[in-house]
Amino acid sequence: MTATEGGGRVASAGAPGAGGPLLLGVRHHGPGSARAVRAALDAAEPRVLLIEGPPEADGLVALAAEADMRPPVALLAHVVDEPGRSAFWPLAEFSPEWVAIQWAVRRGVPVRFMDLPAAHALARGEEEGEGARTDGGGEPAEEAADLDSVRIDPLGALADAAGYDDPERWWEDVVEHRAASGDAFAPFEALGEAMGALRETYGSGGHERDLVREAHMRIQLRAAQREFGSEGVAVVCGAWHVPALREKVSVAADRAVLKGLPKVKVDMTWVPWTHRRLSRHSGYGAGIDSPGWYGHLFSAPDRPVERWLTKIAGLLREEDRLVSSAHVIEAVRLADTLAVMRGRPLPGLTETMDAVRAVMCEGSDVPLALVHDRLVVGDVLGEVPDSAPAVPLQRDLTRLQRRLRLKPEALERELELDLRKETDAARSRLLHRLRLLGIGWGEPAESRGSTGTFRETWRLRWEPELSVRVAEAGVWGTTVLGAATAKAEADAVGAAALADVTSLAERCLLAELPEALPVVMRVLADRAALDADVGHLAQALPALVRSLRYGDVRGTSTGALGEVALGLAERVFVGLPPACAGLDADAAAAMRGHVDGVHVAVGLLGELASSGDGGGPGGPGAPADEGEPVVVGTAGAVGDVDSVRSPSAGGVRGRWQRVLRGLVGGERVAGVVRGRCARLLMDEGVLAEGEAARFMGLALSPGTEPGEAAAWIEGFVGGGAGGGMLLVHDERLLGLVDTWLTGVSEDAFVDVLPLLRRTFAAYEPGVRRTLGELVRRGSGQQSSAALMTEGAPGFAAELDPERADAALPVLGLLLGLGGEQERGGAGRGGAADGGAGRSRNRLVGVA
C-alpha cells in the first residue's frame, strides 16, 4: 500500500472469459470497493486468490476464519534480531482485501499474498537509510512523504476532472452511493479505464520502489496462472498497480529488477488495530479520514443516513445532551435537503454533519467534535485469536491481562487502584513493570479521591504500536517479571547519573522486582560513594526516601534502602555548607531547589525513623544519640557551621536543622539560599520568637547589596510556600520589607524590581490585595525599630493574660490539645509564667 493508494484508488478489471486473470483494482479501506469485490468474486468463482500483501503472511490466512478474529486487525512483520524495525498492513471490516480473504476461507479457495516480501522491504528500508519503522503496507513513513511530492493522487485527479473540489465527496457520489447494477464487473471496467489513462499521462509514479513491487507481483501472477490457469486467478490489489500487471514485460526483465535485493529474517503475525490508527491524521500514510463513517456505510443494511443520525443522537444523549426523536427527524430532512441543493444523489458525511451541527448541536462545534472523535473516527479495537503467532512475552502479558481482568481498550479510561487489595496491587505491579520495559499501556495520573500512598490512578489506552514494543521487550525475557528484572539490572549498570539510579530503585520497588533491587542497590551505593557533587546527591535523596514508604503499602523490605538513604543524607549534610558558598544567581536558584527537596526528604525520613521503619546505625529505629556521626564543616564557608558537629542532639531531623541554621548565618552563602533556610527553620518552629525578623533585618541592612537583599526576600517569602500570608499576619516583617524597599536608591530599585515582582506575582490575588491595603494604610511606613519595640498596629504592647486564658479552652479543643491549656494556665508565676506566656503567644498566633 502506498500513500497515494490509501488516499483513494479506483479500479480496472479483466472480466472472466476474456483470456486473462480477473484483476480487481480497489481503494484500500473503501466500503464501495469491498462490496464490489464481494459481488465480483461471487460471479467469477476463481480457483485461487492473489492479494496485495507480504507473502510471509500466507500461513496466517486461515486465522481469519476463526471466531475470535475481529477486525480492525493488521499484519505485523518485524525483523527477528531487531523487533523495532517493523511494518504494518492494516485491514478493517470494510477493507476489500479483508472481504476477499473472508470470501476465500469460507469456500476453501487458496489465498496467496503477492507483494514484495517483507524480508526485502524491511532490508531495503535499512539500506536506504529511510528509518527503521514503517507505517502501513510496508511503506516507510519517510518514503511515503517523498512519494507525495512525485506521484499524483489518482482519486484527486479524477475528482478534479469531474469538477469536484473534494475527492472524498466524488468517491461517495460515484462509488458509495451508486446503485447496484446487474454487471458485477462494471465498476471495475469503468474506473479502470480512467486509471489507465492517468498512468499514461503521468507515468508509473516515478519511484523505484513501485517498479520493484510490480515486478514481483507479475512474477507471482505468472506462477498462479501456470498452476490454476489464467481464468482461474483473481487479483485484489491497489488500482494504481492494475495497468502494470497488464503490461507485457518479459520474465527476464522482472527478474533483473529483483536481482540482488537485500534480505533480512522476519517474523509475522496478526495484531489488533484501531479505527483511530486508520485515520489519516494519526500518521498512517495510507489511511482514511473517517473510518467510523465508512464502517457504518459498509455494515448498515438499509437507510444508512437515518441509522447514522440515530447513532449520533444516542451518543449525545449519553453525554447529557437534550436530543429527542424530533431532532433526528429534522436532521434527516435537513441532510436530504442539503444533498439536493448540492446536486448529490444521497446525503454524505458532509451533509449529515452539517445537519447535526445545526439541529442537534445548536450550532456549536464542541459537541460536534465529540461526534467526530467517537463516531466519525471511532475507538474500535480489533481482536486476534490466541492461536496467532506471538513472542512468549506477549503470551505471558495476555495471560496476566485476563487473570487481572485488564482488557486492552482503544478508548482512554481511568483506573483507580487500592493497593491494600490483592488484585489491585497485582495490577499496579504489572503496569509498573510494563513501564520499565517501555510499554506505555498505562500512565500514572493524579489521584482525585485520596492522597494516601495506598491509592494509585492510571490512564490506560492500548495503541497498536504497543505490540511492537512487546516484541522489542521480548529480548529481555519470556515473562513480564523476568523481562522487567533483566531490563532494570541493565539500566542500573548503564545509568549515567546518580539520580537515574535512585529513580530506578524507586521504580523497582513500585514494580516489586526483588531480584533486581539488590543489583540496583549495589550500583546505587557505589555511585553514591564516588559522586562528590552535592547537587547530584541532593537530587538523588528525595526519590530514595520516597521509596521507603512502599514497604508499608506493598510489603517490600526496604532495610537496605534505608541504610543507603541515611548515608546519602549524612553526605549531603557534610557537603552542603561549602557547596552553597560563592554561587552565581542561576546556581543559587538551583541550590535552593536542592535545599527544598532535601528538607522534604529529611522530614519523611524523620517520620519513618520515629515509626521504627528501616534500619541501620543512627537510622530508623535507632536511639536518638546512637551512632550519630560527627559532621565536619569547612572553615569560613558559612557562619555557625561548628554547631553541626555537636553529637548531643540526636536524630536526622535535628542534624538537618543545625545545617540550616549554619547556612542562615553564612556570610558567603547566596541570599536566596539563606532566606530559604530561614523560612524553613521558622516553619519548623525552631527559630525563637522575633528571630526571623532579626535575620531579615540583618539581610536588609544598608550594608547589604540590594540585589542580594532582594534574593533573600525571594528565598524567604517566595516560591509559593505561604510567604504572602506570612507577611499579612506578621506586619513587623512587612514593615521591614517596606522600609528596605523605600530606602533603596533609584538605580538599585530598577535592578531589584523584576526579582521582587516575580516573587510577589506568585501570591494569590486576595493576598496581594490585602498586602496593598496594609501598605496603603501606613503599616509599612513605620520604622523597623518601632515595629520591633511597639508591636504591630491594632495590638497592645503586652499580652493580656486573662483575655488569652479565656480563649485557651476553645483553642485546645480545636487543636486537639486536650487539657494541656489548663495546665499551662495554672502555672503562672516566675519562670513558669514566661513559658506559659510563650505558649499563649503561639496559640494566639495560630488563631
Side-chain angles (χ1 to χ4, degrees):
M1 303 179 188
T2 66
T4 344
E5 295 165 14
R9 289 179 286 185
V10 288
S12 176
L22 176 64
L23 302 180
L24 303 176
V26 300
R27 178 192 185 187
H28 295 303
H29 313 314
S33 288
R35 286 191 296 267
V37 164
R38 184 163 53 194
L41 293 177
D42 285 337
E45 296 186 349
R47 298 171 57 195
V48 66
L49 183 63
L50 302 184
I51 297 178
E52 180 184 341
E56 292 93 340
D58 287 351
L60 303 175
V61 172
L63 295 174
E66 296 197 12
D68 293 338
M69 178 75 84
R70 297 186 181 89
V73 292
L75 289 167
L76 165 63
H78 64 83
V79 179
V80 173
D81 297 330
E82 290 184 67
R85 293 174 52 212
S86 58
F88 295 99
W89 285 261
L91 297 173
E93 180 186 9
F94 48 84
S95 298
E97 297 90 343
W98 180 258
V99 170
I101 291 173
Q102 291 291 310
W103 182 91
V105 296
R106 289 169 182 168
R107 290 165 176 77
V109 176
V111 176
R112 298 177 181 175
F113 289 97
M114 62 183 302
D115 204 348
L116 187 70
H120 294 309
L122 292 175
R124 282 170 58 86
E126 177 189 29
E127 180 180 290
E128 297 169 7
E130 293 167 343
R133 188 167 305 283
T134 59
D135 292 306
E139 206 66 68
E142 292 84 355
E143 184 175 275
D146 295 339
L147 289 175
D148 289 340
S149 62
V150 298
R151 179 187 293 146
I152 65 164
D153 176 7
L155 186 64
L158 294 175
D160 186 63
Y164 283 74
D165 58 356
D166 184 1
E168 293 292 332
R169 277 210 342 265
W170 176 82
W171 177 262
E172 285 187 349
D173 287 353
V174 302
V175 177
E176 305 302 338
H177 298 160
R178 181 185 59 84
S181 62
D183 187 357
F185 311 105
F188 298 104
E189 291 293 340
L191 299 176
E193 294 179 6
M195 186 59 65
L198 285 175
R199 287 197 68 140
E200 290 180 4
T201 303
Y202 296 100
S204 61
H207 202 280
E208 179 186 359
R209 186 177 184 83
D210 271 356
L211 301 178
V212 175
R213 295 174 62 203
E214 290 166 353
H216 189 273
M217 289 181 188
R218 286 191 292 265
I219 290 177
Q220 295 296 100
L221 179 58
R222 294 189 192 101
Q225 287 178 290
R226 287 194 300 270
E227 184 176 354
F228 296 95
S230 295
E231 297 183 5
V233 178
V235 176
V236 177
C237 66
W240 184 257
H241 300 302
V242 169
L245 297 183
R246 288 187 171 279
E247 188 178 355
K248 300 298 182 182
V249 181
S250 66
V251 177
D254 283 341
R255 294 190 183 279
V257 173
L258 299 175
K259 184 178 180 181
L261 289 179
K263 188 176 182 179
V264 293
K265 186 178 181 180
V266 300
D267 276 345
M268 201 149 204
T269 186
W270 290 103
V271 295
W273 205 251
T274 67
H275 273 183
R276 191 171 301 280
R277 289 294 292 155
L278 286 171
S279 63
R280 193 187 310 270
H281 62 77
S282 67
Y284 171 43
I288 52 177
D289 290 325
S290 48
W293 165 249
Y294 275 10
H296 171 78
L297 289 179
F298 183 74
S299 60
D302 56 12
R303 305 177 73 87
V305 175
E306 290 84 348
R307 294 178 182 272
W308 176 251
L309 292 174
T310 301
K311 187 183 297 185
I312 293 176
L315 171 64
L316 294 176
R317 289 183 190 126
E318 292 176 359
E319 299 297 326
D320 295 329
R321 299 280 301 183
L322 298 178
V323 179
S324 64
S325 301
H327 285 89
V328 178
I329 296 172
E330 193 62 31
V332 171
R333 291 174 177 171
L334 179 56
D336 289 336
T337 303
L338 291 173
V340 173
M341 294 177 60
R342 296 169 181 175
R344 308 193 65 183
L346 285 174
L349 180 61
T350 303
E351 286 70 34
T352 57
M353 294 302 285
D354 287 346
V356 169
R357 177 192 286 109
V359 178
M360 298 184 186
C361 300
E362 300 177 349
S364 173
D365 286 336
V366 175
L368 194 71
L370 177 69
V371 173
H372 182 274
D373 184 67
R374 296 279 186 86
L375 295 181
V376 178
V377 176
D379 284 297
V380 179
L381 176 65
E383 297 182 13
V384 298
D386 293 339
S387 54
V391 295
L393 181 62
Q394 177 65 68
R395 296 191 181 280
D396 184 60
L397 175 58
T398 302
R399 178 185 62 82
L400 291 172
Q401 288 171 334
R402 290 178 177 172
R403 182 171 67 84
L404 299 176
R405 299 187 297 279
L406 276 178
K407 183 179 180 181
E409 296 177 353
L411 183 65
E412 182 178 289
R413 66 186 180 98
E414 279 197 356
L415 179 67
E416 295 282 349
L417 299 180
D418 185 344
L419 301 181
R420 297 169 296 184
K421 299 178 181 178
E422 183 178 351
T423 300
D424 283 0
R427 290 173 174 175
S428 173
R429 288 193 296 268
L430 173 62
L431 294 173
H432 280 295
R433 289 169 182 173
L434 292 178
R435 292 193 75 221
L436 264 171
L437 292 170
I439 304 171
W441 177 24
E443 292 295 330
E446 184 177 353
S447 296
R448 292 174 294 180
S450 173
T451 58
T453 57
F454 62 88
R455 290 282 186 185
E456 275 189 356
T457 302
W458 292 82
R459 288 195 181 94
L460 301 182
R461 182 170 186 166
W462 186 267
E463 296 285 359
E465 292 87 349
L466 295 180
S467 299
V468 178
R469 301 289 181 268
V470 175
E472 289 178 327
V475 300
W476 298 106
T478 58
T479 64
V480 175
L481 174 59
T485 299
K487 181 70 162 52
E489 293 175 352
D491 288 349
V493 175
L498 178 62
D500 295 336
V501 185
T502 56
S503 175
L504 183 61
E506 182 178 13
R507 296 168 68 187
C508 286
L509 287 169
L510 290 168
E512 196 171 314
L513 302 177
E515 295 184 6
L517 192 58
V519 177
V520 177
M521 294 308 302
R522 283 199 302 269
V523 175
L524 177 59
D526 293 342
R527 292 288 182 88
L530 296 176
D531 199 330
D533 191 320
V534 176
H536 292 168
L537 299 176
Q539 280 182 308
L541 184 61
L544 200 59
V545 175
R546 281 198 308 268
S547 303
L548 293 173
R549 296 180 299 174
Y550 305 136
D552 295 334
V553 180
R554 301 170 185 271
T556 306
S557 175
T558 57
L561 202 63
E563 294 180 2
V564 175
L566 286 171
L568 204 62
E570 296 297 347
R571 295 192 61 200
V572 171
F573 297 166
V574 173
L576 191 60
C580 291
L583 300 178
D584 61 16
D586 293 337
M591 188 58 69
R592 170 195 168 177
H594 295 331
V595 170
D596 282 340
V598 173
H599 183 74
V600 174
V602 168
L604 181 56
L605 197 58
E607 292 175 7
L608 294 171
S610 63
S611 63
D613 296 332
D625 295 332
E626 181 180 341
E628 181 179 349
V630 175
V631 182
V632 181
T634 301
V638 296
D640 190 17
V641 179
D642 291 337
S643 62
V644 181
R645 307 174 64 172
S646 172
S648 60
V652 64
R653 188 188 292 264
R655 294 195 293 278
W656 172 242
Q657 290 172 356
R658 292 194 296 278
V659 172
L660 292 177
R661 181 173 287 276
L663 291 173
V664 170
E667 295 180 357
R668 295 175 54 195
V669 178
V672 66
V673 176
R674 288 189 287 119
R676 190 61 184 161
C677 292
R679 177 60 189 281
L680 294 176
L681 288 173
M682 192 184 74
D683 290 343
E684 289 281 314
V686 175
L687 293 183
E689 186 177 352
E691 198 170 1
R694 183 177 68 85
F695 280 125
M696 178 178 282
L698 293 174
L700 304 184
S701 64
T704 305
E705 290 290 334
E708 189 71 7
W712 196 99
I713 294 175
E714 182 187 21
F716 188 76
V717 297
M725 294 304 297
L726 178 65
L727 295 179
V728 168
H729 291 293
D730 195 332
E731 295 193 24
R732 291 177 299 177
L733 298 180
L734 177 61
L736 288 170
V737 174
D738 188 52
T739 301
W740 168 78
L741 188 58
T742 55
V744 171
S745 66
E746 183 176 348
D747 293 338
F749 179 79
V750 175
D751 294 334
V752 301
L753 180 60
L755 182 60
L756 293 175
R757 292 192 64 179
R758 183 179 65 188
T759 301
F760 287 89
Y763 297 161
E764 295 290 335
V767 174
R768 294 201 303 269
R769 184 167 53 250
T770 303
L771 289 175
E773 289 292 331
L774 290 173
V775 174
R776 183 181 60 82
R777 78 182 190 188
S779 298
Q781 299 300 322
Q782 301 182 60
S783 67
S784 58
L787 287 168
M788 295 290 291
T789 58
E790 300 175 8
F795 292 89
E798 296 181 359
L799 180 67
D800 187 340
E802 294 183 0
R803 298 181 65 184
D805 285 344
L808 288 179
V810 178
L811 288 172
L813 292 174
L814 293 175
L815 300 176
L817 300 179
E820 293 181 7
Q821 74 282 358
E822 299 176 3
R823 294 193 298 270
R828 279 196 299 270
D833 180 63
R838 285 192 295 272
S839 298
R840 285 192 296 270
N841 280 333
R842 290 174 181 172
L843 286 173
V844 172
V846 171

